[in-house]
């Protein structure tokens, strides 16, 4: 059975305190792995797509990496505005809208 | 990124009534849109795939007669929750990918909070 597991469930950081979120997956055929950010009461906001092991992508204070079994989202020197739930999702078909999501990591960054 | 607009953002309805939620792709055409459901503190669960000009494809366990999906044009899909009950209260979110482009990421609407009283 295909599974996407995110850890930790919640993370509380001081402003400037870097950390990493984990997304491990066991799927039969990965077409793409996605990271989204979701603010309370809002839809997910697209961050990154990763296609293959070894790939890395960066955007401001965020960096996503991918191995054959897991992906990490590194948050460097976070600011309070980085507080959100970060969702990992995998596409199992060539239709990238059809996603299987992990449960998310809720990140709170305090000043 | 591409813009997907969802309306309404919040709706409260009485038990037994029906509610329609619209999902529009504003700056691109989408032959396929997706409807997700999210319970509090849980992740998104795919409900159905909406195909322009044809019937929707529902995930296992989703009642197609309760959640009616219509995809009448390349920019609009609607989800109608029929005979709503309190257990249908949830956050409903749609997404869309640009037509004609495989392997392109999906963009999400802002979601609709449905409360059935």
């Amino acid at each position: 059975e295909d599974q996407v597991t995110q850890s930790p469930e919640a993370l509380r950081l001081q402003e400037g305190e870097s950390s990493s979120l984990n997304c491990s997956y066991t799927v039969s055929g990965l077409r793409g792995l996605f990271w989204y950010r979701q603010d309370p009461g809002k839809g997910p906001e697209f961050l990154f797509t990763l296609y293959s092991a070894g790939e890395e992508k960066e955007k401001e204070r965020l960096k996503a990496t991918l191995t054959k079994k897991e992906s990490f989202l590194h948050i460097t020197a976070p600011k309070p505005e980085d507080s959100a739930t970060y969702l990992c999702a995998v596409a199992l078909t060539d239709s990238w809208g059809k996603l299987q999501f992990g449960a998310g990591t809720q990140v709170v960054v305090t000043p | 990124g591409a813009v997907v607009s969802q309306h309404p953002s919040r709706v409260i309805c009485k038990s037994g009534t029906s509610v329609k939620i619209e999902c529009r792709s504003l700056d691109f055409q989408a032959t396929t849109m997706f409807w997700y459901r999210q319970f509090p503190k849980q992740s998104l669960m795919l409900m159905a795939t909406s195909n322009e000009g044809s019937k929707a494809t529902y995930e296992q366990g989703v009642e197609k007669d309760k959640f009616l999906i219509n995809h009448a044009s390349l920019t609009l899909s609607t989800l109608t929750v029929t005979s709503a009950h309190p257990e249908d209260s949830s956050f409903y979110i749609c997404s869309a990918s640009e037509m004609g482009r495989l392997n392109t990421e999906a963009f999400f609407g802002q979601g609709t909070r449905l409360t059935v009283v």
Side-chain angles (χ1 to χ4, degrees):
Chain A
E1 184 181 340
D2 300 320
Q3 283 194 337
V4 181
T5 304
Q6 288 188 248
S7 63
E9 289 185 12
L11 190 59
R12 193 173 186 88
L13 301 171
Q14 291 272 351
E15 186 172 0
E17 179 188 359
S18 301
S19 188
S20 294
L21 315 181
N22 177 267
C23 171
S24 63
Y25 60 92
T26 51
V27 298
S28 52
L30 182 70
R31 295 290 191 271
L33 185 140
F34 303 80
W35 283 98
Y36 285 87
R37 168 193 170 126
Q38 186 176 26
D39 293 305
K42 305 286 187 184
E45 175 188 341
F46 171 74
L47 294 174
F48 302 109
T49 308
L50 300 167
Y51 302 89
S52 57
E55 191 173 1
E56 299 183 353
K57 288 194 177 173
E58 286 188 70
K59 179 181 179 181
E60 295 181 353
R61 295 177 292 281
L62 301 177
K63 179 180 177 180
T65 62
L66 182 65
T67 72
K68 288 185 178 179
K69 293 183 179 180
E70 57 193 348
S71 177
F72 291 94
L73 183 67
H74 308 276
I75 310 179
T76 302
K79 298 182 177 182
E81 52 262 43
D82 295 321
S83 298
T85 295
Y86 290 86
L87 300 170
C88 167
V90 297
L92 304 177
T93 70
D94 287 332
S95 177
W96 282 11
K98 190 171 181 179
L99 300 174
Q100 181 166 342
F101 280 87
T105 295
Q106 184 179 20
V107 174
V108 174
V109 182
T110 57
Chain B
V3 179
V4 175
S5 176
Q6 202 172 326
H7 178 80
S9 58
R10 290 179 176 271
V11 58
I12 300 173
C13 71
K14 291 184 177 180
S15 252
T17 63
S18 296
V19 174
K20 181 184 284 187
I21 302 169
E22 292 187 347
C23 178
R24 293 180 185 274
S25 55
L26 296 186
D27 52 0
F28 65 100
Q29 293 183 325
T31 48
T32 306
M33 293 184 175
F34 303 86
W35 288 94
Y36 290 82
R37 184 172 181 177
Q38 186 176 33
F39 289 105
K41 298 195 180 298
Q42 294 187 28
S43 194
L44 285 76
M45 298 295 293
L46 180 66
M47 296 175 65
T49 302
S50 170
N51 303 298
E52 188 267 336
S54 64
K55 290 183 179 180
T57 305
Y58 290 83
E59 295 299 303
Q60 193 172 12
V62 177
E63 297 177 60
K64 61 180 181 181
D65 293 330
K66 166 166 274 298
F67 299 101
L68 299 180
I69 291 172
N70 182 274
H71 194 152
S73 77
L74 289 172
T75 59
L76 174 64
S77 174
T78 60
L79 169 68
T80 301
V81 183
T82 63
S83 186
H85 289 285
E87 56 264 32
D88 298 324
S89 298
S90 190
F91 194 53
Y92 293 87
I93 313 174
C94 70
S95 73
S97 296
E98 190 171 349
M99 181 180 76
R101 294 180 61 193
L102 282 179
N103 298 344
T104 182
E105 55 271 7
F107 295 91
F108 285 82
Q110 61 267 53
T112 297
R113 171 73 60 192
L114 170 63
T115 303
V116 184
V117 296

